[in-house]
Every structure is written in structure tokens, then in C-alpha cells.
Amino acid sequence: MTPESNDPSNDPTHDLSGSPAGEPRGEPSPDLPEALLREDGTAPHEGPTRCGFVALIGEPNAGKSTLLNRMVGAKVSIVTHKVQTTRTRIRGLALEGASQIVFIDTPGLFRPRRRLDRAMVAAAWTGADDADVICLLVEAHRGLTEGVEEILKALDERAPRAPVALLINKIDRVRPEALLTLAETLNARRDFARTFMISAEKGQGCADLKRWLAAEVPVGPWHYPEDQIADLPLRVIAAEFTREKLTQRLHQELPYQLTVETEAWEDRKDGSTVIRQIVYVGREGHRGIVLGKKGETIKAVGSAARADLRTFLDRDVHLFLEVKVRPEWENERERYDQMGLDYDGRKGR
């Protein structure tokens, strides 16, 4: 594959722009940095600005990534039916009136067994430690599981000051009376700042949650431009899109034994983008599974990922995938740096 250029212009970091609905224009706000004012000098909102970090925590597959995408209004975190899909902390940005809410989508909290597991759990707790508000997602149909109980105990020790909101998710899967019982049980276990009944997938209850969070984050200037929707390099987002398609396509344990890295990125003069990625697997046999018969699997993955990237980037995308065997990738510090994880599992980044 073509070696990656050292030209800084080929390093598309922090360039995730969206088109959130604009608020009525008002007078310039003294709390808003000049760089965030509109071209005519007016502010995109009224009143003092607020900005804060909201950590989404919970067991694997609790719906954190789905909720993040719902709040941001765009797909910035991958979603699959398999647990432990999110591997690093992804920051998604949402606006609500004068508030900028920085959502932190964390890996699911579970009992770590491997080095990668430990790094993922460390990243989740670091996201909670850094937050102004913590949202604990609990699946309505699963209730107070052993895993949720462990998270509650850890919250007592690790987050004694930050307000914690209880988000009972997937409410469409249970009867209303069961929801009330679960809410009473969980609130008896901990004094939550607020309890919300939501469906991250369908949007139920999400508007009320967003308004409450907008009022909870502290007063202060926004950390990011108005049109930015995530704080993550485009290279990483692109690799995650491909990993999502691989996870959806493959079965059993294989999705957890591979990783995807964007090796090269080129924005062409015609407005299109060329992206070259490597899929690393641990065994030669896994390489054959990822490729599929006559390359059918990797072709299907590439086609699906390319379609998502075209929509996300709003431009034509040429995606090239290569599968390589790297037996010890899970034990290489460089791979963890690429994923934004701490190799020693002490903290996330």
C-alpha cells in the first residue's frame, strides 16, 4: 500500500462538521468567544453560554452509542447488536439553546480479562471521572443485573460529587408497570439526580433529557465551534465505520480479534477522498474469513463502509481495504495509541 504522506494537510483531525438546527439570532454574547460568533457578528443563541462534559456509562450494549448519535443528530459512534463494540472514548457535541453538551461515549463496563479489556474499562472510568454529569444507562428489560450493581458500587467510590442521572433505556420492551417498579428499585439503591425513561433508538424521552443536561452543565464558554459534531480524527471515525461493518458481517469471537487502521488519506482536487485502510487479524485463518470466498466478504464490507462514509463526509469516497495478519496486535503499544487507549490500562485518553 502507498506510504502515508507526512503532509499535515493529510491529517484530517477535528474536522467533523454537521448542520445542527440554528437558534434565533440574538445580540452578541460576552460569554461566547469571538471565533464562535456568526459571520454577521451575532451569537447563535440568547443568554450566557454553558458547556460541560456528560459521560454515558453502563453495561455493554446498554445503548450508549445509539444515544450519543441521537443527541448529536448524526452518526459519530458505531452501533451493532454485539456487545463491547465501542473501544475508546468518543466525544460527540450537541447544542441546546446556549449550552454546548460534550457527550462522552465510553466502552461498556464489564469484568476485564485481556489487556484490551482492561484498557477499555479504564477508558470508561476515565470518562466518568472527567465528567460534569454522569448518565447511567440501564436496559429496561434486563433491570438491576449483577453488572449494574457493580457499576453502582463503583460510582459510590469514583463519582462522589458529579450528579448521576438514571436513564432507563429500551422502554418499548417492557410494560409501564414494570418500568415504575424498576425505577423505584434503582432509586432505592442510589439517590439519582434525575430519572429518565427513554428509547435511544426511537427518540422517546431524549428531548427532555437533553434540555435537562443543557441546564446542568456549568456556565462557561463553548469548547468547540458551533458546527463541529465530534472531537475525534476523521481517520479514526473512518476506521470505526469499517470495523462496524465487519462486526455486523462476521460472527462469534472474530470481531473482537481484529482492528482497523486508516493508513492513508488523500483529499483530491476533484472533491473526492481516497482512504486506504488495513484490517489486522490475529491468525491466517481469520484472514481467510474476513476476505471471504473470492473476496466477497471484504468487498461487501468495503461497499457498505464506503456508502456510510460518503453520507458522513458528503463527498465521493474511494475506499481500499487490505487484510493483514498480525498475531500480537493486541499486545502492541502502537495499536493502543491508534485507538486512544492506555496500553497499561490505567487511564483512557
Side-chain angles (χ1 to χ4, degrees):
M1 298 182 64
T2 305
E4 183 176 346
S5 171
N6 292 322
D7 185 351
S9 65
N10 286 333
D11 184 18
T13 59
H14 307 288
D15 186 29
L16 297 165
S17 298
S19 301
E23 297 292 329
R25 296 188 177 186
E27 294 300 319
S29 169
D31 298 287
L32 191 64
E34 183 177 353
L36 298 185
L37 296 177
R38 299 185 190 274
E39 291 183 1
D40 61 2
T42 61
H45 51 71
E46 306 254 352
T49 58
R50 291 176 175 270
C51 186
F53 295 87
V54 176
L56 306 177
I57 68 170
E59 290 187 284
N61 211 26
K64 300 178 294 296
S65 296
T66 301
L67 179 60
L68 174 70
N69 294 339
R70 169 71 60 179
M71 289 297 186
V72 172
K75 181 176 179 178
V76 296
S77 187
I78 66 176
V79 178
T80 78
H81 66 281
K82 294 183 172 66
V83 300
Q84 300 171 24
T85 300
T86 301
R87 285 180 175 170
T88 187
R89 291 186 301 159
I90 298 174
R91 291 178 177 177
L93 314 176
L95 302 181
E96 180 67 23
S99 298
Q100 184 177 72
I101 310 169
V102 184
F103 288 97
I104 307 172
D105 180 18
T106 64
L109 291 166
F110 57 99
R111 291 182 178 178
R113 298 178 181 178
R114 305 168 298 167
R115 178 183 292 276
L116 179 59
D117 295 342
R118 292 193 295 272
M120 289 164 58
V121 170
W125 279 121
T126 301
D129 292 343
D130 295 342
D132 296 297
V133 182
I134 298 172
C135 290
L136 170 62
L137 278 79
V138 175
E139 293 179 274
H141 59 292
R142 298 188 64 213
L144 182 55
T145 63
E146 182 181 348
V148 171
E149 184 62 46
E150 290 184 3
I151 294 172
L152 288 170
K153 291 178 181 178
L155 279 173
D156 293 338
E157 300 174 0
R158 301 188 62 118
R161 291 181 298 276
V164 180
L166 171 63
L167 277 51
I168 300 179
N169 190 26
K170 306 180 183 180
I171 58 174
D172 51 310
R173 298 193 181 187
V174 299
R175 295 179 178 274
E177 54 269 25
L179 286 174
L180 294 176
T181 300
L182 176 58
E184 291 176 357
T185 300
L186 289 166
N187 277 274
R189 172 60 182 78
R190 180 188 175 91
D191 185 18
F192 290 100
R194 283 286 299 271
T195 297
F196 293 89
M197 309 283 191
I198 69 168
S199 170
E201 182 178 7
K202 298 183 177 179
Q204 293 172 268
C206 292
D208 288 340
L209 169 62
K210 191 175 182 181
R211 283 191 290 268
W212 179 78
L213 290 172
E216 284 294 305
V217 295
V219 173
W222 291 358
H223 297 328
Y224 301 92
E226 179 188 0
D227 61 351
Q228 189 167 333
I229 62 173
D231 180 17
L232 201 66
L234 282 176
R235 292 171 178 266
V236 177
I237 289 286
E240 287 290 274
F241 276 24
T242 300
R243 189 167 67 86
E244 176 188 61
K245 302 310 177 187
L246 285 163
T247 301
Q248 293 172 343
R249 184 91 181 184
L250 303 174
H251 305 288
Q252 299 178 350
E253 292 299 313
L254 185 53
Y256 308 108
Q257 298 179 24
L258 60 78
T259 191
V260 181
E261 292 182 12
T262 301
E263 184 190 47
W265 182 294
E266 178 189 357
D267 291 325
R268 291 182 169 177
K269 293 181 180 180
D270 63 2
S272 67
T273 295
V274 177
I275 303 172
R276 300 182 185 277
Q277 296 177 339
I278 299 177
V279 180
Y280 288 112
V281 295
R283 303 176 186 175
E284 183 61 40
H286 292 169
R287 181 174 182 273
I289 295 173
V290 172
L291 289 172
K293 186 177 181 180
K294 296 183 179 180
E296 292 178 355
T297 299
I298 198 65
K299 288 179 182 177
V301 166
S303 178
R306 182 166 53 251
D308 274 8
L309 284 166
R310 282 174 175 168
T311 300
F312 184 77
L313 297 172
D314 193 24
R315 70 187 77 158
D316 196 16
V317 173
H318 308 282
L319 178 63
F320 298 92
L321 303 178
E322 183 176 358
V323 184
K324 290 186 177 182
V325 179
R326 203 173 186 111
E328 295 296 322
W329 75 261
E330 287 190 56
N331 295 313
E332 294 177 0
R333 189 177 296 273
E334 181 184 356
R335 305 279 81 77
Y336 286 72
D337 290 342
Q338 291 281 346
M339 291 185 284
L341 296 174
D342 184 76
Y343 179 77
D344 299 311
R346 293 190 300 264
K347 60 181 180 179
R349 190 181 70 191

